[in-house]
Amino acid sequence: MSKPQFLSIATLYGILAMAAATSLQAAELKLIAGGSMTGSMNEIAPQFEKTTGHKLLIHFDSTPNIITLVTSGTPFDVVVVPVDVFKDAAAKARFAPGPTVDIARVGYGVIVRAGAPKPDISTPDAFRRALLAAPSIAFLPASAAGAYITKVFERLGIAEEMKAKTRVQAAPTQIAPAVAKGEAELGVFLTNVLIAPGVELADPFPGDLQQELVFTSAVAADSKEASAAKALIDYLKTPAATAVIKAAGMTPG
């Protein structure tokens, strides 16, 4: 009969030390992200947690609300937000010095209900006519993307007409369902959040009306989990994360 094998005291202490180190290294990260990153970040989060052991707590919001959160003393560790957030001096001051790291970019488009006729928006003039002909349009004005869309309406000379047609949505992810349910004839926003059941993309914005919104990342200046926050940013540049970003209809970087 073989003798039972016992761990030496030194080996046992080594195992306990490793377990303690792993526990200390695991962080609970507070991430603030743009609402249009909801789909991709919700898919990336469990992958990041499994790979690193860190826990990710995500708050999604629009650009104006993110600026308010960042400048009001709300605790956070890291952001993945529209670059417009950093145009606010008070918000920018809340981040660690140094350049931000771009994570994803995406352009604008128009959707209709699945099976409905698609308007011609192939030129700025055609786009203008289509917008004027539509009885209702769903988008989110109080956001970085919404601010740009409003500027496009202004460039087309139809800003006042669009106010009466706008069906304001509470979040980017509600635009496509509103069109699918017939609550609005057109949905206008970033193309990645317009990819959804019950709707079809009519076309991207035409010509020089098209522009990409960049989502960039940075670590909070007062974060106590700066190393883990940087690990998240690094992870968002890995092949696994960029594959999710691409599948969500965005361009990494």
Side-chain angles (χ1 to χ4, degrees):
M1 186 174 180
S2 61
K3 294 181 179 180
Q5 300 295 312
F6 294 97
L7 294 175
S8 69
I9 295 298
T11 302
L12 181 58
Y13 276 136
I15 292 172
L16 291 175
M18 288 177 63
T22 300
S23 177
L24 290 172
Q25 290 171 2
E28 187 173 82
L29 280 177
K30 297 179 179 67
L31 166 68
I32 298 176
S36 296
M37 293 290 295
T38 300
S40 53
M41 285 308 307
N42 278 342
E43 187 171 345
I44 289 171
Q47 298 179 7
F48 170 74
E49 292 175 342
K50 184 178 179 180
T51 301
T52 64
H54 300 312
K55 177 70 175 176
L56 204 54
L57 303 177
I58 312 176
H59 175 79
F60 296 103
D61 221 322
S62 63
T63 295
N65 289 342
I66 290 170
I67 291 172
T68 299
L69 286 171
V70 167
T71 56
S72 66
T74 300
F76 71 98
D77 298 296
V78 60
V79 298
V80 180
V81 294
V83 69
D84 302 61
V85 170
F86 294 86
K87 295 176 183 177
D88 184 278
K92 187 176 181 180
R94 286 293 316 278
F95 297 97
T100 60
V101 179
D102 292 345
I103 301 301
R105 62 190 68 234
V106 63
Y108 296 81
V110 178
I111 53 169
V112 297
R113 189 175 184 178
K118 295 179 181 178
D120 175 15
I121 61 170
S122 58
T123 66
D125 284 343
F127 190 22
R128 182 179 186 275
R129 289 192 296 271
L131 290 170
L132 289 173
S136 53
I137 296 167
F139 79 111
L140 177 59
S143 63
Y148 177 70
I149 292 166
T150 301
K151 288 181 181 178
V152 168
F153 293 162
E154 292 170 355
R155 284 181 61 183
L156 294 174
I158 57 174
E160 287 303 314
E161 291 90 336
M162 291 301 102
K163 289 178 182 178
K165 297 171 182 282
T166 298
R167 302 293 179 266
V168 177
Q169 303 302 306
T173 52
Q174 295 181 10
I175 296 171
V179 175
K181 290 183 287 187
E183 296 171 0
E185 183 169 318
L186 301 180
V188 183
F189 213 68
L190 299 170
T191 55
N192 66 307
V193 298
L194 298 180
I195 302 170
V199 297
E200 295 175 0
L201 184 67
D203 245 335
F205 278 20
D208 63 359
L209 295 180
Q210 182 59 273
Q211 178 175 295
E212 287 187 319
L213 179 61
V214 176
F215 290 82
T216 195
S217 60
V219 178
D222 59 355
S223 173
K224 296 178 181 178
E225 304 292 354
S227 295
K230 290 174 183 175
L232 172 62
I233 294 174
D234 289 341
Y235 186 82
L236 292 173
K237 306 295 284 184
T238 64
T242 57
V244 173
I245 291 169
K246 287 180 182 178
M250 308 179 83
T251 302

